[in-house]
Amino acid sequence: MLSLTNVSFTYPNSSLPVLQNISFEVSGVCAVLGPSGCGKSTMIKLCAGILTPDAGNVLLYGKPINPKEINVGLIPQDGGLLPWLTVEENTALGQKIKHQNNKAKVSQVLERLGILALKDCYPGQISGGQKQRVTVARALCMDPSLLLMDEPFSALDANTREEAQDFLREITKHNYNITTLIVTHSVEEAAVLGTNILVMKKGRIIKILKNPLKGYNEPRRQNCFYELCDSLRCTMKDKQDVI
Amino acid sequence: MMKNKKYSWLSPTLAIIFGFLLWELIAFLVKKPIIPSPSLVIYSLCTKYAAKVGLCLLASLGRVFAGVALAALGGIICAMAAVFSDKMEKTIYPIIYLLHPIPKIALLPVVLLLFGLGESPKIFLIFLICFFQFALSARDAMKAVPESNRVVFKSFGSSNLQEMWHLFLPASIPALLGGLRLSLGTAFSILFFTETFGTQIGMGAFILDAWMRVSYVEMYGGIIVLAVAGGSIFGFTDIIQKHYTHE
Ligand SMILES: Nc1ncnc2c1ncn2[C@@H]1O[C@H](COP(=O)(O)OP(=O)(O)OP(=O)(O)O)[C@@H](O)[C@H]1O
Ligand SMILES: [Mg+2]
């Protein structure tokens, strides 16, 4: 369970606050929606314990988040793969830093994401969508208790994207103790993946809702899928600034 | 792809053969001892003074490697300091900016007076030539490391030392090799120059000695060896660079 209480944050080199008084408490998968520049990536870095809030607390099961103590699987917006390491070495990077060595786990995750055949390629030699799957593999092969994903599937084609979403749903369904925050630009993705859906605007949260589709095996086929997407779209378009 | 790979040695070999043929032709036309024929040069290089040249080459390369290694170490340390601390950067780099443009050969008399005639002045001059280049290009490469890479390292709970070793050091290696390629020419020419003062063993001494004895064949042999050694170092940097860039 991830909880943020009255979190505010301003980058040291600017005067405008990026996040203002954010409070929410989620477990399972939380999808974060919001227009560009509203502070989603900043929130991810705060949740990873990489940035420290100016005010307020970020807690995972009541404890401050320290990546040295817990396993955080973070996928930054542009992937952050190292060009001089192979797919396999990139995937095992977290293990290397945490002085673990579990090659079987690496192969298993790569296999599951359909990129095991590319394990000896370098990031410069594979496609954008393949790169994104490597970043997912890198985050997952740590057995994270906190999974923070910043638009992890944005470069995938519709089919691969749905497969990746189903894969993530499966992982999170069987691991109740993984708390996942997934930032996305797509309302459909939020509707498919989120147990909770959080809508942000200008550094504030304007809506948190429990996903009515939770528990369905085929969320995309349900009638209320389209209603949910529509209502989310309306919330995002809403011109007035909600506090 | 395969075809290209298989024949990649072909064009450089042809170029070298062509070069030698041209030299042979010029030697034949000029017919003066100042331009001996390359076949004679290589023949006597192999048969008469291979051991002596080998020894001189080893001595020179040793000096180059020592200077370059020290410079790389110093350059990497400065660049790391700049990446991890703004204050350090603002202290170190203005000095580097001031000292870098000084032609290092101008410091030769000072260095010789300070260090005497042994190995240290030669190594120190090579260090000076490469160090500034390394400190600048390594810093720029490390600063160009995308923020997302650091974010990933931090999310795995990495220490600064791990970040330096696994992220910033490998990220700066192509830049260091580029710096090496830029400074190697100057390093060789200054080494040559310093080796002509009170030095027994070294390519500079070898070539100057041959020249003084009007033994042009031997002198050209030395020049060829120097060229091959320098060229090999360039080729070597290319090979290492390939391990760090995969596009
Ligand atoms: N390192 C930084 N220093 C100063 N300001 C920053 C920095 N990073 C981001 N910002 C500012 O913070 C605000 C929020 O940025 P953030 O990256 O969190 O947005 P985002 O919601 O992830 O947007 P997008 O959907 O485009 O990725 C932006 O206005 C941006 O200009
Ligand atoms: Mg973002």
Side-chain angles (χ1 to χ4, degrees), chain B:
Chain B
M1 266 314 265
M2 274 320 281
K3 205 174 167 188
N4 280 346
K5 238 183 198 165
K6 211 169 170 183
Y7 293 104
S8 64
W9 50 268
L10 196 63
S11 27
T13 311
L14 283 178
I16 290 169
I17 291 174
F18 177 76
F20 272 103
L21 286 178
L22 194 69
W23 181 1
E24 198 76 65
L25 181 73
I26 293 173
F28 177 75
L29 292 177
V30 175
K31 283 198 178 70
K32 280 188 180 147
I34 186 73
I35 303 185
S37 112
S39 41
L40 179 65
V41 168
I42 289 173
Y43 176 75
S44 41
L45 178 64
C46 297
T47 54
K48 286 187 194 146
Y49 43 90
K52 190 179 165 199
V53 154
L55 208 63
C56 289
L57 180 65
L58 273 183
S60 293
L61 284 184
R63 288 163 192 147
V64 170
F65 281 127
V68 166
L70 286 176
L73 191 68
I76 290 170
I77 290 173
C78 289
M80 296 270 188
V83 169
F84 283 90
S85 148
D86 270 352
K87 267 207 190 103
M88 287 295 260
E89 180 175 19
K90 285 188 181 129
T91 316
I92 300 171
Y93 277 80
I95 305 175
I96 291 181
Y97 287 166
L98 277 176
L99 297 182
H100 183 39
I102 300 175
K104 305 302 172 294
I105 191 77
L107 299 175
L108 180 66
V110 185
V111 173
L112 284 179
L113 277 178
L114 280 180
F115 289 88
L117 284 172
E119 294 299 319
S120 41
K122 304 179 181 77
I123 294 174
F124 183 68
L125 270 173
I126 293 173
F127 165 81
L128 276 184
I129 292 159
C130 300
F131 166 73
F132 295 98
Q133 196 76 52
F134 288 173
L136 290 171
S137 37
R139 179 202 55 177
D140 293 347
M142 290 186 195
K143 292 239 156 175
V145 166
E147 200 235 358
S148 61
N149 286 344
R150 277 191 98 163
V151 165
V152 169
F153 271 77
K154 292 236 161 67
S155 77
F156 289 135
S158 80
S159 62
N160 281 352
L161 208 64
Q162 284 177 317
E163 252 179 82
M164 285 183 193
W165 184 250
H166 292 298
L167 177 61
F168 288 107
L169 184 64
S172 66
I173 282 179
L176 285 170
L177 294 171
L180 179 59
R181 281 192 285 259
L182 284 178
S183 38
L184 204 59
T186 323
F188 262 66
S189 40
I190 291 202
L191 177 70
F192 180 87
F193 200 62
T194 56
E195 282 179 344
T196 56
F197 294 96
T199 310
Q200 304 301 322
I201 301 170
M203 290 310 293
F206 179 89
I207 293 171
L208 188 78
D209 177 58
W211 182 26
M212 289 307 170
R213 288 183 287 109
V214 207
S215 168
Y216 292 121
V217 173
E218 204 173 324
M219 186 185 93
Y220 276 98
I223 292 175
I224 289 181
V225 167
L226 206 54
V228 171
S232 311
I233 298 181
F234 275 106
F236 190 61
T237 63
D238 279 354
I239 292 171
I240 304 179
Q241 183 135 15
K242 267 204 187 127
H243 280 277
Y244 285 90
T245 43
H246 303 270
E247 289 300 321

Side-chain angles (χ1 to χ4, degrees), chain A residues 11-14 16-19 34-43 45 77 150-151 183 185 200, chain B residues 147:
Chain A
Y11 279 101
N13 52 357
S14 87
L16 289 171
V18 176
L19 295 177
S36 181
C38 71
K40 303 182 297 294
S41 299
T42 308
M43 193 166 82
K45 284 173 215 159
Q77 198 161 6
D150 202 342
E151 298 183 38
V183 167
H185 272 143
M200 287 178 70
Chain B
E147 200 235 358

Side-chain angles (χ1 to χ4, degrees), chain A residues 61-73:
Chain A
Y61 290 103
K63 280 193 199 149
I65 294 161
N66 180 352
K68 284 194 167 68
E69 285 161 12
I70 59 164
N71 286 344
V72 177

Side-chain angles (χ1 to χ4, degrees), chain A residues 107-199:
Chain A
S107 307
Q108 181 200 333
V109 174
L110 288 175
E111 166 88 81
R112 191 62 190 76
L113 285 162
I115 43 173
L116 186 57
L118 303 173
K119 73 181 169 64
D120 296 321
C121 294
Y122 290 89
Q125 301 166 334
I126 60 179
S127 78
Q130 289 164 340
K131 272 186 226 166
Q132 284 198 329
R133 280 179 274 167
V134 180
T135 64
V136 175
R138 184 185 57 196
L140 288 180
C141 94
M142 291 306 295
D143 282 324
S145 47
L146 180 62
L147 188 55
L148 303 165
M149 314 171 100
D150 202 342
E151 298 183 38
F153 306 141
S154 57
L156 301 182
D157 65 278
N159 276 330
T160 319
R161 188 171 185 149
E162 286 190 8
E163 275 170 29
Q165 291 167 353
D166 291 339
F167 173 57
L168 188 64
R169 272 166 58 85
E170 195 184 304
I171 286 175
T172 49
K173 202 159 82 184
H174 296 303
N175 297 278
Y176 298 108
N177 41 5
I178 304 186
T179 308
T180 306
L181 211 59
I182 176 166
V183 167
T184 172
H185 272 143
S186 144
V187 263
E188 287 84 3
E189 189 158 275
V192 170
L193 290 176
T195 337
N196 297 285
I197 299 169
L198 203 146
V199 186

